């Protein structure tokens, strides 16, 4: 559970124990009240499991799904049909297959089967949906919710249609709901702190940067979507065995709004937020409902059937949270992160050349043909020809400077080399293999790292996390990822700030952090897009020293786009000049500086004069 | 042959309605980058205005409905969406969900949470003879309104200063602001137009179904969203195409689906577009986005 180096054991333990204690307290309070009160609290705990399911997907990916309640509905129907006595199923769902109709399983078995069924359904539904864009996922998942409702409400023979099911055994006790909720907390935190969880959180902070360190968005989202679907299914299955009745509207739009409000109010990024949000919103909701009806009512989840004051209150709470407290009550922090028990990461004795051996080891078979080459690469954007048949070759251990005026096509060339843009014509070869058009994550795994002009930090992760996730991105386990990150951070002199947020670093550290993140993927070719921009002379000199060391220690070749000519001349034995999408000249810094076209087009007469002075 | 022509006209009329909804969603998306869940309630509120204005002459009632649509859209922007204008996409989406929930339930609490029936003018439930075809007047009205809205919008966007500002804001909001585009004004106008379009759609839906209910906006907003996704985000023309595709699909499935499957028409209509997205995640007309900043 505890991530060595990612957080202290004390912080991790606190983060786990506090929500568990909250659940235990809630269950204890519920058990001490009237049966009706106990029933209400039991349903709140079932709701909490659904909200934790939402947290696993929404909190870690940063993408809203409006379809998770569809999985809660699926879990509820599966479990209900498996536990309904045969006499009742014959009446309510006459065409149900005999095997299911006659089945009268124990609550535990029914819940487990429901979880499995929902996991399978979420995997099957998520497979196409997670392929759609970040913008489209909220919509396509909303469409899934309506499709699920449509099927449940009209498939009369199996689901009982729009009138639903009654006489479902009410077997969910407050103890079992509490235990399941505790288990869901453990699952949600374990996922958040797993390598896959970190990869997904990195993609939440910045999609482009995540792809640049080898993270495959679709895969990571699908895993979380599936786990989320299972948890929601469990919540639905337990809830229906508390209330005893089920209809297609039980887990529909209103329930989606309720659960999303719970998550958002608590703070979607933390498991603690899911717990606190559920308890807070449920409490307010029950109070409003009592006020509205003058009596205690069962079932948060069935709010759609009695809309009015409580629902307006819910909407207002959601609105105020979004406007005034976007991070929710917990601001997205776990219990162990609220009172910073941050202990500075003790830098471990770095295992020498961690990343280098990793890189060389993975690719030794093709090492002999090693080089990164572009051949005749051309690319136009809506009529504007940006690259015109560019050639480029980067040999192992080499540092090649790429210079040219603004708009020469330097960044576009790096985008093509790293798979972010497809060339109209021409090819990219990595170690002799044609890799043109491969996705960035695949190229990263093949040993190609890059940084961005804009930095693109994972603002919400710590420095340590955002570098460790670089190693996790290429499939390294969490523990090993932390070791690699500790090593890289120490070499780049960033160990001091390992536990502080990546988004709050000064510009100099920000640049280094981008490089550290790329180095953690174990690249053999590192493409740097203006790493010295915004640095002062002193910082630039440090950067050159660090890059020189990286070339030696990590054994990786560097392609350097840079406007600061001193940095280029210091570091690179070879310089390639690009102008208007074409190569002007390739040669040693001296040759390039002497080239008349370069002096005129790029370096400018003043530089030439200064250099000769 | 006449059967086919008849179903094509039905399909086009439904597609026109969907296009109106999708254009409304697209307009506010282009100026604010927000997917507005509450667009469905911008349809529902004017529909209730029509319901409330039962006694007055129909034309006046429609005018009142459109005014209600504009008012609710502008109000929602001012009160709820302006504070989250610079928040991320997810935060804006959830904010609009909150607005939708509040509006739905205010109507539930003040009117009723069950559907109410609304009388429709006799003229609109009759049909006109066009050649060999008998076309419902409502469909003629829908098609005419869609054409007028498209024409008017085209004129506004390409022939007026406000339209130019709107297109500039859609391309690059920050840059447009630096160049003097009045952000609040452009966004308010976009919401006003969007509210008016939703109101027109709301009136047409009421004329078709003869009733209003607090959740009547849910399916239309999903239809609009999907149309926008199919057409490609932020493109008016894409929204029209997306709306027509969905309308034709839905209408033809209604006509030709085997009886046993008719109840599942919505499920099929909403599932198919996902297939388009798998092949073209950026929609039919959309350019690949998301990597513009590197």
């Amino acid at each position: 559970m505890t991530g060595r180096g990612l957080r202290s054991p004390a912080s991790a333990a606190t983060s786990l124990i506090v929500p568990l204690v909250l659940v235990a307290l809630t269950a204890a309070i519920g058990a001490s009240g009237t049966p009706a009160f106990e029933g209400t609290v039991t349903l709140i705990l079932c709701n909490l499991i659904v909200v934790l399911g939402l947290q696993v997907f929404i909190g870690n990916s940063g993408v809203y799904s409006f379809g998770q309640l569809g999985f809660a509905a699926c879990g509820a129907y599966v479990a209900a049909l498996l536990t309904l006595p045969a006499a009742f199923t014959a009446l309510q769902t006459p065409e149900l297959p005999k095997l299911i109709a006659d089945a009268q399983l124990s609550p535990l078995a029914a819940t487990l089967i429901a979880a499995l069924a929902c996991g399978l359904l979420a995997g099957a539904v998520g497979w196409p949906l997670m392929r759609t864009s970040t913008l489209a996922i909220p919509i396509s998942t909303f469409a899934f919710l309506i499709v699920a409702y449509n099927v449940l409400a009209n498939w009369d023979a199996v689901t009982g249609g729009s009138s639903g099911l009654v006489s479902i055994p009410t077997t969910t006790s407050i103890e079992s709901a509490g235990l399941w909720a505790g288990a869901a907390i453990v699952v949600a935190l374990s996922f958040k702190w797993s390598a896959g969880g970190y990869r997904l959180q990195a993609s939440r902070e910045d999609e482009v940067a995540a792809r640049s360190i080898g993270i495959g968005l679709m895969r990571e989202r699908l895993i979380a979507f599936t786990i989320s679907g299972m948890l929601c299914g469990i919540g639905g299955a337990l809830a229906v065995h508390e209330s005893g009745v089920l209809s297609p509207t039980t887990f529909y739009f209103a329930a989606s709004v309720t659960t999303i409000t719970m998550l958002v109010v608590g703070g979607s990024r933390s498991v603690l937020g899911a717990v606190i949000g559920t308890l807070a919103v449920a409490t307010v909701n029950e109070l409003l409902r009592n006020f509205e009806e003058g009596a205690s009512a069962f079932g948060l989840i069935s709010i759609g059937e009695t809309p009015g004051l409580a629902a307006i209150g819910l909407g207002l709470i959601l609105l105020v949270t979004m406007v005034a407290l976007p991070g929710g009550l917990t601001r997205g922090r776990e219990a162990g992160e609220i009172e910073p028990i941050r202990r500075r990461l003790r830098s471990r004795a770095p295992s020498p050349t961690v990343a280098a051996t990793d890189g060389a080891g993975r690719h030794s078979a093709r090492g002999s043909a090693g080089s990164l080459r572009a051949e005749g690469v051309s690319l136009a954007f809506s009529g504007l020809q940006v690259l015109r048949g560019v050639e480029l070759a980067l040999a192992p251990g080499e540092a090649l400077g790429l210079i040219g005026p603004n708009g020469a096509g330097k960044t576009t060339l790096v985008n093509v080399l790293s798979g972010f843009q497809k060339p109209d014509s021409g090819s990219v070869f990595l170690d002799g293999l044609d890799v043109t058009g491969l996705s960035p994550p695949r190229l990263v795994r093949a040993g190609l790292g890059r940084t961005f002009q804009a930095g693109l930090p994972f603002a919400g992760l710590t420095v340590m996390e955002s570098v460790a996730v670089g190693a996790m991105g290429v499939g390294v386990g969490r523990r090993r990822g932390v070791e690699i990150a500790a090593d890289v951070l120490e070499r780049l002199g960033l160990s001091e700030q390992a536990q502080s947020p990546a988004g709050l670093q000064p510009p100099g550290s920000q640049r280094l952090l981008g490089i550290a993140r790329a180095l953690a993927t174990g690249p053999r070719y590192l493409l740097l897009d203006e790493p010295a921009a915004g640095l002062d002379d002193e910082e630039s000199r440090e950067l050159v020293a660090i890059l020189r060391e990286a070339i030696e220690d990590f054994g990786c070749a560097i392609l350097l786009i840079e406007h600061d000519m001193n940095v280029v001349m210091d570091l690179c034995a070879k310089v390639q000049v690009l102008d208007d999408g074409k190569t002007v000249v390739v040669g040693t810094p001296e040759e390039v500086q002497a080239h008349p076209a370069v002096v005129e087009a790029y370096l400018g007469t003043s530089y030439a004069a200064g250099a000769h002075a | 042959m006449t059967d086919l022509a008849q179903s094509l006209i039905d399909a086009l009329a439904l597609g026109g309605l969907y296009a109106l909804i999708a254009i409304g969603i697209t307009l506010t998306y282009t100026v604010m980058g927000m997917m507005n869940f509450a667009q469905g309630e911008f349809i529902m509120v004017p529909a209730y205005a029509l319901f409330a204005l039962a006694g007055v002459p129909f034309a006046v009632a429609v005018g009142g409905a459109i005014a209600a649509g504009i008012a609710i859209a502008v109000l929602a922007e001012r009160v709820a969406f302006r504070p989250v204008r610079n928040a991320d996409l997810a935060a804006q989406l959830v904010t609009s969900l909150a607005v939708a929930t509040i509006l739905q339930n205010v109507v539930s609490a003040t009117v009723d949470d069950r559907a109410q029936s609304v009388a429709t003018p006799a003229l609109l439930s009759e049909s006109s003879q066009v050649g060999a075809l008998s076309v419902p007047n409502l469909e003629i009205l829908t098609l005419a309104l869609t054409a007028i809205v498209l024409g008017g919008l085209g004129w506004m966007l390409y022939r007026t200063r406000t339209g130019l500002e709107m297109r500039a804001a859609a391309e690059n909001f920050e840059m447009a602001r630096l160049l003097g585009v009045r952000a609040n004004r452009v966004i308010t106008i976009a919401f006003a137009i969007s509210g008016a379009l939703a109101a027109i759609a709301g009136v047409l839906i009421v004329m078709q179904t003869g009733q209003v209910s607090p959740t009547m906006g849910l399916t239309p907003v999903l239809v609009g969203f999907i149309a926008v996704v199919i057409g490609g985000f932020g493109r008016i023309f894409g929204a029209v195409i997306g709306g027509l595709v969905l309308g034709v699909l839905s209408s033809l499935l209604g006509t030709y689906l085997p009886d046993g499957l008719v109840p599942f028409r919505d499920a099929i209509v909403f599932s198919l577009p996902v297939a388009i997205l798998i092949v073209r995640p950026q929609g039919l007309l959309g350019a690949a986005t998301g990597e513009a900043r590197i």
Side-chain angles (χ1 to χ4, degrees):
Chain A
M1 194 65 42
T2 63
R4 196 158 69 109
L6 288 171
R7 70 191 62 73
S8 69
S11 158
T14 312
S15 300
L16 179 64
I17 291 167
V18 170
L20 288 178
V21 168
L22 283 174
V23 166
L25 276 177
T26 308
I29 292 171
S32 67
T34 62
F37 181 70
E38 185 178 333
T40 304
V41 176
T42 307
L43 267 188
I44 291 174
L45 289 172
C46 299
N47 234 29
L48 171 59
I49 300 170
V50 175
V51 177
L52 286 164
L54 294 186
Q55 197 281 328
V56 167
F57 182 73
I58 296 175
N60 292 306
S61 73
V63 181
Y64 275 83
S65 163
F66 295 103
Q68 301 315 86
L69 268 287
F71 300 117
C74 159
Y77 273 94
V78 168
L81 292 174
L82 288 173
T83 53
L84 265 177
F88 289 114
T89 37
L91 217 57
Q92 301 183 36
T93 57
E95 284 172 48
L96 198 65
K98 199 165 157 43
L99 182 70
I100 301 173
D102 290 351
Q104 199 179 338
L105 300 181
S106 73
L108 180 66
T111 307
L112 289 175
I113 292 176
L116 189 67
C118 291
L120 289 174
L121 180 68
V125 168
W127 191 82
L129 295 195
M130 295 302 115
R131 265 157 221 276
T132 64
S133 69
T134 302
L135 211 51
I137 286 178
I139 295 164
S140 52
T141 50
F142 182 32
F144 164 71
L145 181 71
I146 295 201
V147 168
Y149 169 79
N150 182 272
V151 170
L152 291 174
N154 289 296
W155 200 6
D156 297 11
V158 173
T159 63
S162 53
S163 50
L165 301 171
V166 293
S167 309
I168 302 161
T170 52
T171 48
T172 303
S173 66
I174 196 157
E175 293 84 8
S176 61
L179 284 175
W180 276 106
I185 287 171
V186 173
V187 168
L189 268 179
S190 306
F191 177 74
K192 185 178 175 183
W193 291 341
S194 70
Y198 275 114
R199 286 194 290 261
L200 192 58
Q201 290 170 61
S203 78
R204 172 191 75 199
E205 298 299 323
D206 198 298
E207 257 180 72
V208 173
R211 280 155 61 83
S212 84
I213 54 169
I215 295 171
L217 269 185
M218 184 252 157
R219 176 172 175 272
E220 305 302 337
R221 283 177 177 169
L222 182 58
I223 293 170
F225 194 76
T226 306
I227 297 174
S228 168
M230 289 178 83
L231 288 178
C232 290
I234 293 171
L238 292 171
V240 77
H241 287 91
E242 206 299 318
S243 61
V245 293
L246 179 60
S247 88
T249 55
T250 311
F251 302 98
Y252 193 38
F253 188 67
S256 294
V257 177
T258 309
T259 47
I260 284 175
T261 304
M262 289 170 164
L263 182 64
V264 168
V265 166
S268 65
R269 291 180 179 197
S270 77
V271 174
L272 180 68
V275 176
I276 288 183
T278 303
L279 298 180
V281 171
T283 307
V284 173
N285 208 23
E286 286 305 314
L287 291 176
L288 284 174
R289 194 187 286 273
N290 285 346
F291 190 61
E292 178 183 281
E293 298 178 0
S296 167
F298 275 94
L300 278 179
I301 290 173
S302 60
I303 196 168
E305 289 160 9
T306 53
L309 190 59
I312 297 172
L314 211 61
L316 284 174
I317 291 172
L318 186 56
L319 185 59
V320 169
T321 306
M322 291 321 297
V323 171
L325 198 67
L329 292 171
T330 60
R331 304 228 178 84
R333 287 175 297 198
E334 300 298 346
E337 297 158 356
I338 288 178
E339 286 299 322
I341 327 169
R342 283 178 196 141
R343 259 188 286 160
R344 200 148 281 171
L345 181 76
R346 196 153 299 160
S347 43
R348 285 153 222 294
S351 43
T353 61
V354 169
T357 45
D358 249 63
R362 270 187 293 138
H363 304 284
S364 56
R366 289 176 279 151
S368 56
S371 73
L372 175 66
R373 277 188 300 130
E375 283 187 6
V377 167
S378 295
L379 180 60
F381 294 127
S382 49
L384 181 68
Q385 196 70 38
V386 183
L387 295 175
R388 304 167 193 267
V390 177
E391 312 276 327
L392 182 143
L394 184 62
E398 188 180 41
L400 173 64
L402 185 61
I403 66 173
N406 286 325
K410 304 183 297 289
T411 297
T412 307
L413 182 57
V414 164
N415 285 346
V416 168
L417 289 173
S418 56
F420 281 88
Q421 263 150 357
K422 255 181 223 168
D424 295 335
S425 61
S427 308
V428 178
F429 294 93
L430 190 61
D431 301 338
L433 293 177
D434 189 343
V435 295
T436 321
L438 285 193
S439 71
R442 292 191 60 185
L443 287 171
V444 176
R445 274 180 211 110
L448 202 125
R450 72 165 290 181
T451 67
F452 299 89
Q453 268 179 54
L456 310 186
F458 298 136
L461 303 187
T462 64
V463 167
M464 174 48 123
E465 286 171 338
S466 38
V467 176
V469 81
M472 295 174 197
V474 291
V476 173
R478 199 195 51 192
R479 186 159 297 203
R480 183 90 179 105
V482 172
E483 285 170 9
I484 293 174
D487 178 36
V488 172
L489 286 178
E490 181 161 308
R491 282 163 198 268
L492 268 57
L494 291 169
S495 299
E496 288 290 296
Q497 54 261 54
Q499 299 302 325
S500 59
L504 299 182
Q505 302 302 312
S509 305
Q510 204 71 263
R511 299 281 157 194
L512 287 178
L513 182 55
I515 297 170
R517 192 171 67 186
L519 281 176
T521 66
R524 288 167 305 128
Y525 303 95
L526 183 56
L527 318 182
L528 301 172
D529 198 350
E530 298 200 24
L535 301 190
D536 61 30
D537 285 354
E538 177 61 30
E539 288 172 320
S540 295
R541 267 194 293 279
E542 276 173 32
L543 179 75
V544 171
I546 286 166
L547 289 177
R548 194 170 280 142
E549 250 182 68
I551 299 175
E552 285 163 16
D553 293 358
F554 294 93
C556 66
I558 286 179
L559 178 67
L560 177 73
I561 297 183
E562 189 47 66
H563 278 293
D564 185 337
M565 290 315 297
N566 292 323
V567 172
V568 177
M569 299 302 169
D570 275 2
L571 191 70
C572 303
K574 211 167 89 179
V575 176
Q576 178 161 355
V577 182
L578 215 58
D579 188 19
D580 195 23
K582 289 190 300 274
T583 302
V584 178
V585 59
V586 189
T588 64
E590 293 74 27
E591 287 168 355
V592 167
Q593 267 173 302
H595 197 279
V598 174
V599 174
E600 196 178 325
Y602 180 59
L603 297 174
T605 43
S606 64
Y607 181 88
H612 290 294
Chain B
M1 188 58 212
T2 49
D3 271 1
L4 182 65
Q6 190 82 53
S7 26
L8 269 180
I9 291 177
D10 291 347
L12 276 181
L14 192 62
L17 175 64
Y18 289 174
L20 285 178
I21 299 167
I23 295 169
I25 290 172
T26 301
L27 266 183
T28 47
Y29 175 78
T30 52
V31 293
M32 247 187 91
M34 182 180 81
M35 290 303 281
N36 181 16
F37 237 117
Q39 190 76 16
E41 281 56 49
F42 296 174
I43 291 172
M44 181 269 290
V45 170
Y48 270 87
L50 203 62
F51 165 72
L53 295 171
V56 305
F58 187 65
V60 178
V62 170
I66 291 175
I70 293 172
I72 198 70
V74 169
L75 184 72
E77 191 279 319
R78 184 67 196 85
V79 173
F81 301 148
R82 195 169 293 186
V84 295
R85 195 182 282 171
N86 296 317
D88 62 17
L89 184 92
Q92 294 179 339
L93 190 69
V94 173
T95 305
S96 72
L97 184 70
V99 171
T101 304
I102 293 169
L103 290 176
Q104 268 180 34
N105 288 289
V106 165
V107 171
S108 288
T110 53
V111 186
D112 198 306
D113 64 339
R114 283 161 304 188
Q116 309 289 317
S117 64
V118 178
T120 59
L123 183 67
L124 283 180
S125 34
E126 288 163 7
S127 293
S128 299
Q129 208 62 32
V130 181
L133 299 173
S134 157
V135 184
N137 290 344
L138 186 58
E139 290 189 355
I140 297 175
L141 180 69
T142 306
L143 286 170
L145 279 177
T146 310
I148 292 170
V149 163
L150 278 181
L153 214 53
W155 174 81
M156 202 277 294
L157 285 174
Y158 290 93
R159 290 281 182 275
T160 66
R161 176 176 170 194
T162 304
L164 177 64
E165 288 186 336
M166 224 176 248
R167 286 184 294 132
E171 287 300 322
N172 186 334
F173 194 80
E174 282 313 310
M175 183 54 75
R177 274 190 93 151
L178 289 177
L179 294 174
V181 167
R182 294 149 294 177
N184 286 341
R185 184 170 173 275
V186 165
I187 291 180
T188 305
I189 292 176
F191 268 88
I193 298 174
S194 185
L197 292 181
I200 295 173
V203 170
L204 291 172
I205 292 172
V206 174
M207 292 305 106
Q208 212 169 50
T209 60
Q211 60 177 26
V212 294
S213 79
T215 53
M216 65 180 284
L218 202 55
T219 310
V221 79
L222 177 62
V223 166
F225 275 171
I226 293 182
V228 167
V229 173
I230 296 177
F233 280 93
R235 283 151 198 265
I236 304 252
F237 187 62
V240 176
I241 298 290
L244 287 176
V245 167
L246 270 189
V248 169
L249 194 64
S250 177
S251 180
L252 294 184
L253 280 176
T255 315
Y256 296 109
L257 219 52
D259 282 348
L261 287 177
V262 169
F264 301 104
R265 184 180 70 170
D266 280 359
I268 298 169
V269 172
F270 293 150
S271 300
L272 283 179
V274 174
I276 295 179
L277 291 182
I278 295 165
V279 185
R280 280 186 67 84
Q282 70 274 37
L284 288 175
L285 299 177
T289 53
E291 278 157 25
R293 351 178 240 153
I294 55 172

